Amino acid sequence: LVRKMKKENLDKSSFLEFSARSPFFDNISSNHLNTIGSFSVHISADKNDVLYTAGKKYCGGIFCLISGKVNLSWLQGENNLALFRKVYENETFNTLSIFHEETNTNTALIAEQSSLLFIPKQPLVNLCIEDPIFDEFLHKKISFEFDREKLFQILSTVYSKEVDQDILREIIDSGEWVYLKNNTKLFDAGDPSDSIFILVRGFLKVFIPVDSKLKEVGEIKEGEVIGEMGLLSDEPRSATIYSTRESILFK
């Protein structure tokens, strides 16, 4: 656990140097960065150290990997852990512990000697209470981190856990996020099959044209892939897709 590892306060220049490299800190004001830096700590962890364990009371705070490697594994069944993401330098994890999780949904294992930045939960929550604009900003950042982590889980399931993490990252880096409101069309039957979609959050329905009307023929649930057969065959879209609630897809 974090409390058992070597911890030390970060000087201002070291914190700002790291935050400049991590996308998580993009667009955060210098005043807020200085405040966050004042209560953040540096952690040195050895190979095979466990930062936190799935199913246990959450470790409240955000981790940022300065150097080294961390593996995140989630519970499948009662006791089986399955790797779904390798954390690389300058990335963050455990962000859901700030506003959402009460227990850890994954286990964080140190894969090699690592240096981490740890931002504890309570001072960060206090900053949100003091500043509603920062609170809204942080909620959006953490929501995006949630969607990205969920996408990693989906991709590792769809393309098998044996697929190299670098390939999954290439997929994520080459795509874009699509946000649909309720009752919004994703595409029409007959449109070009120029991409696939993965439903990360939400719910969709599938329709085909019959006698100039749309007939509902199926549903698409979270984690499912849309349009892969048309992409491979280069055939036009075979159906029209509509959202039936606010939905987030990866294109």
Side-chain angles (χ1 to χ4, degrees):
L1 294 175
V2 173
R3 63 177 177 269
K4 297 179 181 179
M5 296 179 183
K6 181 182 177 182
K7 296 188 294 183
E8 59 185 7
N9 293 329
L10 275 170
D11 61 78
K12 179 180 176 180
S13 60
S14 296
F15 174 81
L16 293 178
E17 179 186 352
F18 171 72
S19 64
R21 301 198 307 266
S22 175
F24 183 82
F25 296 98
D26 286 350
N27 302 317
I28 295 180
S29 71
S30 57
N31 286 339
H32 286 137
L33 282 176
N34 287 332
T35 302
I36 294 169
S38 69
F39 54 73
S40 299
V41 294
H42 175 256
I43 295 174
S44 297
D46 295 325
K47 183 177 181 180
N48 295 326
D49 281 346
V50 176
L51 290 174
Y52 53 81
T53 304
K56 303 293 183 181
K57 185 176 180 181
Y58 68 79
C59 175
I62 297 173
F63 291 92
C64 310
L65 184 60
I66 299 172
S67 64
K69 285 185 181 179
V70 177
N71 290 338
L72 302 182
S73 300
W74 54 318
L75 274 176
Q76 289 189 331
E78 293 186 1
N79 300 307
N80 295 326
L81 283 172
L83 175 70
F84 74 88
R85 178 185 165 198
K86 295 178 181 178
V87 182
Y88 286 56
E89 293 180 4
N90 303 323
E91 292 184 342
T92 54
F93 58 101
N94 203 48
T95 53
L96 290 188
S97 70
I98 303 300
F99 298 125
H100 303 285
E101 293 179 347
E102 295 185 1
T103 58
N104 288 313
T105 56
N106 57 71
T107 292
L109 175 69
I110 302 297
E112 63 182 47
Q113 178 76 34
S114 297
S115 174
L116 304 103
L117 173 71
F118 179 65
I119 307 172
K121 173 180 178 174
Q122 197 53 55
L124 200 55
V125 170
N126 292 342
L127 184 58
C128 290
I129 294 171
E130 295 167 7
D131 188 339
I133 294 177
F134 179 75
D135 178 56
E136 181 181 1
F137 176 81
L138 189 62
H139 268 87
K140 287 180 179 177
K141 273 198 172 286
I142 289 177
S143 179
F144 176 77
E145 290 282 312
F146 169 78
D147 292 333
R148 191 171 184 272
E149 190 160 298
K150 189 170 182 181
L151 178 59
F152 260 108
Q153 293 180 1
I154 293 170
L155 288 173
S156 66
T157 300
V158 171
Y159 294 115
S160 142
K161 299 174 183 63
E162 283 68 44
V163 172
D164 190 274
Q165 287 276 318
D166 290 337
I167 294 175
L168 300 186
R169 288 166 185 278
E170 284 187 38
I171 293 172
I172 292 175
D173 290 342
S174 66
E176 61 183 274
W177 294 92
V178 176
Y179 301 88
L180 296 182
K181 294 182 179 180
N182 181 30
N183 197 32
T184 302
K185 182 166 56 180
L186 179 63
F187 54 71
D188 261 323
D191 284 351
S193 296
D194 57 359
S195 57
I196 65 170
F197 295 86
I198 297 172
L199 181 58
V200 178
R201 277 198 280 161
F203 194 80
L204 308 174
K205 286 194 175 182
V206 183
F207 300 87
I208 59 171
V210 178
D211 297 328
S212 301
K213 295 182 180 180
L214 290 177
K215 177 183 178 182
E216 182 182 333
V217 294
E219 300 172 340
I220 299 170
K221 300 177 182 178
E222 292 181 0
E224 294 186 11
V225 181
I226 307 158
E228 71 276 23
M229 293 308 296
L231 190 69
L232 293 171
S233 65
D234 202 28
E235 294 289 328
R237 304 288 190 192
S238 59
T240 296
I241 308 292
Y242 271 90
S243 61
T244 56
R245 67 183 68 156
E246 288 192 358
S247 300
I248 298 174
L249 302 98
F250 185 74
K251 180 182 179 182

